[in-house]
Amino acid sequence: QKEVEQNSGPLSVPEGAIASLNCTYSDRVSQSFFWYRQYSGKSPELIMSIYSNGDKEDGRFTAQLNKASQYVSLLIRDSQPSDSATYLCAVNKGGSYIPTFGRGTSLIVHP
Amino acid sequence: DVKVTQSSRYLVKRTGEKVFLECVQDMDHENMFWYRQDPGLGLRLIYFSYDVKMKEKGDIPEGYSVSREKKERFSLILESASTNQTSMYLCASSLAGVSREQYFGPGTRLTVT
């Protein structure tokens, strides 16, 4: 089992819809969780971090963490074509400098 | 805003050449990282450094070395470039301690012919 798993997609949603991106992780001692956005040919850009169970909102983005079920998700409300990118989930074990990245989910928002 | 810069966006080198990739960050971050990213393989950690002159191997250190003489600068060295090192190379930095957000540079697309 991979340590951090994401569906590779592509996930296709219409403009204005809610896009839901999911990530599961295997290590129960994981403590920190991050979402990055990566446009084609560009480097990853941090969108959100979440450390506690529950929801964290930032503009159109909401990160949701459920440690008991070992998943973290990213919701994008009112999706725009400019949100079309690959979204990477990253997870840090407790005491580690180094996050483990998932391979990313490709999101396509069509007009 | 955190700024991480890399010396080149695109680089073409010949097999056997020694290649230097430079990364500089301006936010006084203690941790610095080098990754490579290939289609279907995701991000793979080559080396990281948590302090000046300190370095640790990542998942794929073979064929690479690093240097960190100053806090803001972390260099990746390909001792003798090979075609299988053709890749996107990404530098990242983060604050001291564990479980901190990483900030990435723009990347260097290296082609070895």
Side-chain angles (χ1 to χ4, degrees):
Chain A
Q1 183 187 8
K2 292 180 189 152
E3 292 186 53
V4 178
E5 294 212 50
Q6 297 180 255
N7 189 319
S8 61
L11 173 66
S12 182
V13 301
E15 185 175 355
I18 296 175
S20 178
L21 304 160
N22 299 312
C23 172
T24 59
Y25 59 94
S26 60
D27 196 326
R28 286 193 172 274
V29 302
S30 298
Q31 292 187 350
S32 308
F33 307 85
F34 309 95
W35 283 100
Y36 292 83
R37 177 177 62 200
Q38 186 173 24
Y39 292 114
S40 180
K42 303 293 187 182
S43 61
E45 171 192 12
L46 180 70
I47 299 175
M48 294 194 66
S49 56
I50 186 166
Y51 303 95
S52 305
N53 277 329
D55 294 0
K56 180 181 178 183
E57 189 173 317
D58 183 0
R60 296 186 297 111
F61 299 98
T62 299
Q64 300 176 317
L65 175 60
N66 184 323
K67 289 187 178 181
S69 300
Q70 294 178 238
Y71 80 80
V72 56
S73 61
L74 180 70
L75 301 179
I76 306 174
R77 289 183 300 282
D78 189 24
S79 295
Q80 301 297 309
S82 58
D83 295 324
S84 299
T86 296
Y87 289 80
L88 302 174
C89 170
V91 175
N92 267 77
K93 298 179 191 178
S96 173
Y97 292 102
I98 304 162
T100 300
F101 283 85
R103 295 192 178 180
T105 297
S106 173
L107 172 66
I108 298 172
V109 181
H110 54 86
Chain B
D1 279 352
V2 176
K3 186 87 175 199
V4 181
T5 58
Q6 294 183 229
S7 49
S8 305
R9 286 287 285 123
Y10 299 94
L11 207 53
V12 180
K13 294 292 182 180
R14 294 198 179 275
T15 302
E17 280 193 83
K18 191 169 186 176
V19 182
F20 294 87
L21 302 181
E22 301 278 321
C23 175
V24 177
Q25 49 92 8
D26 68 357
M27 286 303 292
D28 205 32
H29 283 178
E30 286 76 12
N31 299 334
M32 296 188 75
F33 308 80
W34 275 106
Y35 293 90
R36 63 178 282 178
Q37 187 175 35
D38 301 285
L41 296 178
L43 281 165
R44 292 184 290 168
L45 181 67
I46 305 172
Y47 270 96
F48 78 99
S49 169
Y50 54 89
D51 201 352
V52 175
K53 297 191 185 294
M54 304 303 291
K55 60 185 179 185
E56 295 284 344
K57 292 180 180 179
D59 300 320
I60 52 163
E62 298 78 18
Y64 303 95
S65 62
V66 290
S67 172
R68 193 164 180 203
E69 298 295 319
K70 294 185 177 181
K71 188 176 184 180
E72 67 272 16
R73 189 180 298 269
F74 191 35
S75 301
L76 179 69
I77 303 150
L78 286 66
E79 297 291 342
S80 178
S82 63
T83 54
N84 62 14
Q85 292 178 311
T86 292
S87 186
M88 169 70 95
Y89 288 88
L90 292 161
C91 175
S93 70
S94 67
L95 285 168
V98 299
S99 302
R100 308 304 290 260
E101 299 97 336
Q102 289 187 329
Y103 295 88
F104 285 84
T108 296
R109 170 84 52 192
L110 173 67
T111 302
V112 182
T113 61

